[in-house]
Amino acid sequence: MAKALTNVTIYDFVRFIEKGYVVFDEEIQEVGKMEDFFDKGYEIEDKSGSIIIPGLVCGHTHIYSAFARGWPNETAIENFTDILEQQWWRLDAALEEEAIHLSGIVSASDHVKNGITTIIDHHASGEIEGSLKRLKKAVCDDIGLRGMFCFETSDRFDVEKAIRENKDFLAEEKNGSFAAHFGLHASLSLSEKTLKKVKAALGDAPIHIHAAESALDQEDCEEKYGERVLERLERHGLLNEGSILVHALHINEKEADIIKRNNCLVALNPSSNMNNAVGIPDYKLFKRKGIPVIIGNDGLSMSITNELQTLMYATHVKHEDFNAFGLDDVWAIIKTAYDYASRRLGVKLGRIEEGHKADLLVIPYTPPTPMDEENALGHLFFGLFSSFRPQDVYVGGKGIVKDHEIHTEAKKLYARAKRSAQKIWENTKERGG
Ligand SMILES: [Zn+2]
């Protein structure tokens, strides 16, 4: 039986209906004003006092960081290389079977509670073979979200195995709930030999790579190869259309042109950049060059609404210009992610319109000021985005979150995470820093 949510405000960043209804099963069947609603025997829920928007897309995260929360790292951190070596590379190396699965459960559960229904992940773990399928099982099958996965190939790992894992997962038959990238860590951790092997295996798959996250990535590249990071990736023929370049913080004009002419995207993660003390992204540069931008959280949080706010405020400060980033930029970023996810997954996402997948967020909201299609995004951004907790979340019409709580199966699995994390922490201690 199709479901109908009634007496609700509907807003998909394009259309605004104040007192409306939406009928859906896996896909949205009908949307309209209450005066046109006709009950054809639907399962009806009155959602007065709520607003419905489409589920959000997180453009870059690390599911493995789920087990970093509260991690007692006792070694001194002086620069970005230390952050990688002393923290992330010790933690991800300790992840195996059960931990990979449970990190997926934790991350997907927390993301969906924050309104994210599609996750683009960048994965690394000590166990390589089959790790992406494990993640996909956790995120897409057990929790019920959509996801894109890849393994961070780098010289830290058995390169052949990492390449094979990406290839195998790219070849998996897709069903609208998941897709794949070819994952690469970053220029500084990839030798010439490795990049040649990647090129030989890549075909037309888009890559997903950290590019110029810190000045160290550029210094390393210029010192070893006498060129900039984007020049190096282009020289190796790796910049396939739809590739995701994460951060692109320390790039110059020429590199921005390289990103543009290869039809790649940039995924920004401003909170992570500030936390790692590597800089603030130059949004104005991407906009001026017409480079599509999406937003992620880099695994630092499990949300993106706060990232959109951070990006706005940080961009204002960086350029000392209130007009350097506005609500039209917020919408451009959200829309770019919807369009990209729709293309990669082969389904229609991002609109509350007939024929689109029913990935929906129901958020209780009583506007304290007039709200209409002109200012609805302002209401969301300033009224809801800083503590964004949808009451109900649907993905493909299935109720994943109800009254802020994840479904029972997910809760049971989530409860096992703490013990698994404890084991990982003990292992990383033994390995030493
Ligand atoms: Zn990252």
Side-chain angles (χ1 to χ4, degrees):
M1 195 197 328
K3 201 169 174 61
L5 305 180
T6 58
N7 293 304
V8 71
T9 301
I10 293 166
Y11 178 58
D12 63 4
F13 304 98
V14 177
R15 183 161 64 155
F16 179 87
I17 303 173
E18 196 170 7
K19 201 171 184 222
Y21 71 93
V22 53
V23 176
F24 58 93
D25 45 24
E26 192 193 333
E27 286 183 358
I28 294 162
Q29 295 178 355
E30 225 182 287
V31 184
K33 291 183 177 164
M34 275 319 284
E35 60 221 48
D36 301 321
F37 180 65
F38 179 71
D39 182 6
K40 296 176 192 158
Y42 304 127
E43 184 192 326
I44 296 180
E45 237 182 286
D46 186 308
K47 282 291 167 192
S48 310
S50 291
I51 175 167
I52 300 184
I53 69 167
L56 300 168
V57 178
C58 173
H60 175 77
T61 196
H62 300 282
I63 286 175
Y64 61 70
S65 72
F67 286 165
R69 206 178 296 170
W71 185 42
N73 185 16
E74 282 136 14
T75 40
I77 302 279
E78 278 177 16
N79 58 27
F80 185 66
T81 311
D82 291 342
I83 296 174
L84 291 177
E85 288 177 357
Q86 304 303 334
Q87 181 161 339
W88 297 114
W89 293 356
R90 279 172 60 201
L91 185 72
D92 68 29
L95 293 179
E96 283 164 355
E97 290 179 46
E98 193 202 24
I100 296 170
H101 179 243
L102 292 176
S103 66
I105 296 292
V106 168
S107 180
S109 301
D110 287 358
H111 272 94
V112 73
K113 284 192 203 165
N114 291 326
I116 289 156
T117 51
T118 300
I119 295 177
I120 302 179
D121 185 54
H122 202 227
H123 174 69
S125 54
E127 183 192 59
I128 300 173
E129 196 183 341
S131 58
L132 299 179
K133 268 203 216 170
R134 250 183 245 294
L135 279 181
K136 179 242 156 198
K137 183 182 182 302
V139 174
C140 305
D141 305 342
D142 295 341
I143 304 297
L145 307 193
R146 300 180 203 281
M148 297 181 218
F149 307 96
C150 66
F151 192 92
E152 286 179 18
T153 307
S154 82
D155 295 349
R156 293 168 54 211
F157 294 111
D158 179 329
V159 168
E160 306 292 338
K161 270 195 187 170
I163 289 175
R164 201 174 328 123
E165 179 62 8
N166 280 301
K167 284 288 282 179
D168 286 352
F169 195 71
L170 278 156
E172 285 280 305
E173 201 173 319
K174 309 299 189 294
N175 60 2
S177 76
F178 72 100
H181 293 104
F182 200 112
L184 299 170
H185 174 254
S187 173
L188 57 79
S189 61
L190 291 154
S191 67
E192 288 292 285
K193 202 170 140 200
T194 301
L195 289 188
K196 280 179 195 151
K197 283 183 189 164
V198 168
K199 175 61 186 170
L202 183 63
D204 62 358
I207 62 167
H208 183 177
I209 183 171
H210 294 127
E213 174 172 6
S214 80
L216 290 174
D217 201 16
Q218 288 292 10
E219 285 162 19
D220 174 271
C221 195
E222 284 181 320
E223 202 173 290
K224 287 186 191 151
Y225 316 108
E227 63 193 343
R228 307 277 295 180
V229 168
L230 266 302
E231 290 171 331
R232 184 171 182 231
L233 296 175
E234 191 181 47
R235 172 169 59 82
H236 281 277
L238 300 172
L239 297 175
N240 283 338
E241 181 170 351
S243 291
I244 298 180
L245 304 163
V246 185
H247 306 300
L249 206 82
H250 296 270
I251 61 162
N252 60 25
E253 293 270 334
K254 202 173 156 199
E255 290 178 287
D257 291 334
I258 291 174
I259 297 173
K260 176 66 185 165
R261 73 166 169 260
N262 286 283
N263 295 315
C264 299
L265 290 85
V266 165
L268 300 180
N269 307 260
S271 300
S272 165
N273 298 152
M274 295 201 286
N275 182 46
N276 289 335
V278 290
I280 292 171
D282 188 350
Y283 182 80
K284 264 181 146 176
L285 171 67
F286 305 126
K287 195 173 175 180
R288 183 157 49 80
K289 297 285 182 183
I291 294 169
V293 171
I294 57 178
I295 199 155
N297 54 38
D298 214 11
L300 184 62
S301 75
M302 307 277 186
S303 172
I304 60 152
T305 52
N306 58 336
E307 287 297 322
L308 285 162
Q309 291 184 317
T310 302
L311 182 60
M312 178 184 283
Y313 309 145
T315 301
H316 290 179
V317 170
K318 181 181 176 76
H319 300 288
E320 295 184 25
D321 176 8
F322 178 78
N323 295 310
F325 191 101
L327 288 174
D328 50 339
D329 297 301
V330 172
W331 166 227
I333 288 173
I334 291 173
K335 184 177 178 350
T336 300
Y338 284 149
D339 292 347
Y340 182 71
S342 299
R343 262 199 320 278
R344 293 293 307 153
L345 293 163
V347 294
K348 285 180 169 178
L349 299 174
R351 292 292 313 275
I352 305 182
E353 217 173 56
E354 198 188 320
H356 283 66
K357 292 288 174 193
D359 293 10
L360 302 169
L361 314 178
V362 183
I363 311 146
Y365 184 59
T366 306
T369 53
M371 183 177 185
D372 56 30
E373 63 184 29
E374 293 300 318
N375 69 3
L377 181 54
H379 275 265
L380 280 182
F381 191 86
F382 295 106
L384 289 162
F385 273 12
S386 56
S387 57
F388 194 67
R389 302 289 277 187
Q391 183 176 26
D392 302 334
V393 179
Y394 297 90
V395 181
K398 277 195 200 133
I400 309 294
V401 172
K402 184 82 195 153
D403 286 330
H404 306 287
E405 295 279 345
I406 192 99
H407 57 77
T408 321
E409 263 325 288
K411 262 191 182 165
K412 275 191 213 155
L413 289 165
Y414 199 110
R416 285 166 41 195
K418 202 161 141 188
R419 247 191 61 214
S420 179
Q422 179 74 43
K423 258 190 347 209
I424 305 271
W425 288 6
E426 279 159 19
N427 283 346
T428 56
K429 233 182 219 167
E430 280 160 26
R431 282 164 207 238

